[in-house]
Amino acid sequence: MSEEGKIKVLLVDDQPLLRMGFRLILEGEEDLEIVGEASDGAEAVRTVDAARPDVVLMDIRMPILDGIEATRRITESGSPARVIILTTFDLDEYAFSGLQAGASAFLLKDVAPAELVQAVRLVASGDAVVAPRVTQRLLETYVRGHRTPAQPAPDPLLAELTRRETEVLETIAAGLSNAEIAQKFFLSEATVKTHVRRILSKLQLRDRVQAVVYAYETGLVVPSNPDY
């Protein structure tokens, strides 16, 4: 974050009007600061290195280097920047690629302004966001498409979790926020955040999106509708 404690945001889209729209929405918030813009993935990677944003709003289809590959390069560089992928295409393949590349969130471009602002704040704080109307289909289809054995082999790392941490992981996989998890288990949000940090550390995961996929892939959470 900046010296003033603001969340630094980088806007990446090949359409200037869309960047302008996102800028107008986000600059109206006192805790958000636009630190740069990029019109293609290659420029985005360079700008992340120079501007050191906390959150990157990343388009998918762009010239020179697309948003998925740009996200992968940013993630693999070790940058702490978290990427929110924005797309007009409500298609699983884009979301799958984004998850694999290390994105922390996936939203559609028609997201309401208030939801976009909230998503930036959540991702900056370590929470992850997936567009609600695609969450279940995205995760369940992802798991079916990438799981090879009929029954997933248990991961020994799961045994490292306490009972409460396992319960928290299950609620993360269900898409609950820290506030919702706190309410469900009658805990403080600070306690929930501590549980989440320990879960990610024990399972050697980067963020909550990876935790959700992990929960499905290991069979901790089972897709509810196999014929979807």
Side-chain angles (χ1 to χ4, degrees), residues 68-167:
I68 300 298
E69 181 58 28
T71 297
R72 180 175 291 106
R73 294 187 187 184
I74 290 169
T75 301
E76 291 179 351
S77 73
S79 168
R82 297 183 180 275
V83 178
I84 298 177
I85 287 182
L86 289 164
T87 179
T88 54
F89 303 96
D90 185 3
L91 298 175
D92 291 334
E93 62 181 287
Y94 295 105
F96 297 160
S97 298
L99 291 178
Q100 292 173 313
S104 294
F106 172 82
L107 293 174
L108 302 179
K109 285 187 178 180
D110 62 0
V111 63
E115 292 178 16
L116 176 62
V117 170
Q118 182 67 358
V120 170
R121 290 173 177 153
L122 286 172
V123 168
S125 71
D127 272 343
V129 183
V130 182
R133 66 176 177 267
V134 302
T135 303
Q136 184 174 352
R137 176 164 59 89
L138 162 64
L139 293 172
E140 295 187 356
T141 307
Y142 176 90
V143 171
R144 291 194 198 93
H146 293 76
R147 180 188 294 162
T148 51
Q151 295 295 327
D155 187 336
L157 291 179
L158 270 177
E160 300 295 321
L161 301 184
T162 65
R163 179 177 179 181
R164 176 62 80 193
E165 288 167 351
T166 300
E167 292 173 338

Side-chain angles (χ1 to χ4, degrees), residues 22-218:
F22 292 141
R23 176 180 283 274
L24 290 173
I25 291 170
L26 298 176
E27 281 189 332
E29 304 297 320
E30 292 184 357
D31 60 332
L32 305 182
E33 176 187 2
I34 307 301
V35 294
E37 296 185 15
S39 59
D40 62 71
E43 185 181 7
V45 174
R46 294 193 300 269
T47 307
V48 163
D49 186 53
R52 301 186 181 280
D54 301 302
V55 177
V56 180
L57 291 183
M58 181 78 74
D59 186 24
I60 286 186
R61 292 190 171 183
M62 295 182 294
I64 304 177
L65 191 71
D66 64 42
I68 300 298
E69 181 58 28
T71 297
R72 180 175 291 106
R73 294 187 187 184
I74 290 169
T75 301
E76 291 179 351
S77 73
S79 168
R82 297 183 180 275
V83 178
I84 298 177
I85 287 182
L86 289 164
T87 179
T88 54
F89 303 96
D90 185 3
L91 298 175
D92 291 334
E93 62 181 287
Y94 295 105
F96 297 160
S97 298
L99 291 178
Q100 292 173 313
S104 294
F106 172 82
L107 293 174
L108 302 179
K109 285 187 178 180
D110 62 0
V111 63
E115 292 178 16
L116 176 62
V117 170
Q118 182 67 358
V120 170
R121 290 173 177 153
L122 286 172
V123 168
S125 71
D127 272 343
V129 183
V130 182
R133 66 176 177 267
V134 302
T135 303
Q136 184 174 352
R137 176 164 59 89
L138 162 64
L139 293 172
E140 295 187 356
T141 307
Y142 176 90
V143 171
R144 291 194 198 93
H146 293 76
R147 180 188 294 162
T148 51
Q151 295 295 327
D155 187 336
L157 291 179
L158 270 177
E160 300 295 321
L161 301 184
T162 65
R163 179 177 179 181
R164 176 62 80 193
E165 288 167 351
T166 300
E167 292 173 338
V168 170
L169 177 56
E170 290 172 342
T171 57
I172 292 174
L176 273 64
S177 66
N178 284 350
E180 292 168 332
I181 295 172
Q183 184 176 23
K184 178 179 178 66
F185 294 124
F186 303 100
L187 301 171
S188 69
E189 284 194 53
T191 299
V192 172
K193 289 180 180 179
T194 297
H195 283 313
V196 173
R197 283 196 298 270
R198 288 175 178 169
I199 290 167
L200 296 180
S201 176
K202 289 181 179 180
L203 299 181
Q204 302 172 17
L205 303 172
R206 183 173 188 267
D207 56 28
R208 292 169 72 107
V209 167
Q210 287 193 346
V212 173
V213 175
Y214 175 91
Y216 275 83
E217 289 183 327
T218 58

